[in-house]
Amino acid sequence: MRKLFSIVVFIIDNFDLIDGISFDFLKELLSEDLVLNRSKFIILNRSCKPGMGMITSPLMLEENYLDLSIAPFTPSQVETFIKQYSNTELSKDFINLTIKISGGNPSMVEQLILLKKDVTRCNSKNINFDSLESIIEYRLNFLKQEDWKAYRSW
């Protein structure tokens, strides 16, 4: 009989923003032989710190681990991403602001597009943001106003 081998891939985006419970869960996963033998972890973060500095496991071998640095989007790639993702016409001012604030980080570009949609939908004015944290905070406040149950579950 043929054995089936399956591998589970965990993708963790914005790892530098991970909450304590999720971090503890991840450390617990990394302490299990079965998980280490049958899993791959892709951990993305905005800092240039190596992942092994943030997660250590005595069972984690150097040959099972690799740090990659991914270059941010160029301004033209950000503009292309916005046009493809948003499916609506956004102003050149918005595109330039997105390039400036995101620094080419695709996660931030996506959140800025979604915030722009939230602002338009809710007819809001005068919002100021300069980080992924402030963008998400605004988005959560819109969610809180529109759907308290969904906000509480977050």
Side-chain angles (χ1 to χ4, degrees):
M1 188 146 94
R2 196 173 92 178
K3 283 187 176 181
L4 293 177
F5 293 96
S6 61
I7 293 189
V8 176
V9 177
F10 293 88
I11 300 173
I12 304 165
D13 196 5
N14 290 314
F15 180 74
D16 44 332
L17 300 175
I18 195 168
D19 63 89
I21 292 171
S22 299
F23 185 75
D24 290 343
F25 174 72
L26 184 58
K27 285 195 309 189
E28 187 66 31
L29 276 177
L30 291 171
S31 70
E32 298 293 328
D33 287 338
L34 180 66
V35 172
L36 288 175
N37 293 331
R38 294 191 152 197
S39 300
K40 299 291 180 195
F41 290 84
I42 299 172
I43 299 174
L44 309 164
N45 67 48
R46 293 180 294 164
S47 70
C48 294
K49 294 182 202 172
M52 279 305 272
M54 294 185 264
I55 298 177
T56 56
S57 170
L59 302 172
M60 187 79 69
L61 302 174
E62 284 186 28
E63 61 262 16
N64 294 338
Y65 172 82
L66 176 65
D67 262 316
L68 297 175
S69 296
I70 299 174
F73 282 172
T74 64
S76 64
Q77 289 171 320
V78 169
E79 187 169 355
T80 299
F81 182 84
I82 289 170
K83 288 176 180 173
Q84 289 176 345
Y85 187 95
S86 68
N87 233 4
T88 59
E89 195 62 37
L90 296 171
S91 71
K92 193 68 174 164
D93 287 342
F94 175 77
I95 291 170
N96 290 335
L97 180 65
T98 300
I99 291 167
K100 179 181 174 187
I101 290 175
S102 72
N105 178 330
S107 295
M108 278 188 84
V109 173
E110 178 184 36
Q111 289 302 316
L112 280 161
I113 293 167
L114 295 171
L115 177 61
K116 174 74 170 163
K117 289 180 178 183
D118 291 342
V119 167
T120 302
R121 187 180 64 253
C122 296
N123 200 23
S124 295
K125 307 234 184 296
N126 299 326
I127 63 167
N128 297 307
F129 47 84
D130 59 1
S131 66
L132 183 59
E133 292 84 359
S134 62
I135 293 165
I136 291 173
E137 185 177 330
Y138 272 114
R139 296 211 55 234
L140 284 172
N141 283 330
F142 285 121
L143 177 62
K144 184 178 183 180
Q145 294 168 11
E146 293 178 343
D147 190 342
W148 177 249
K149 270 181 141 173
Y151 172 78
R152 283 189 41 185
S153 67
W154 188 84

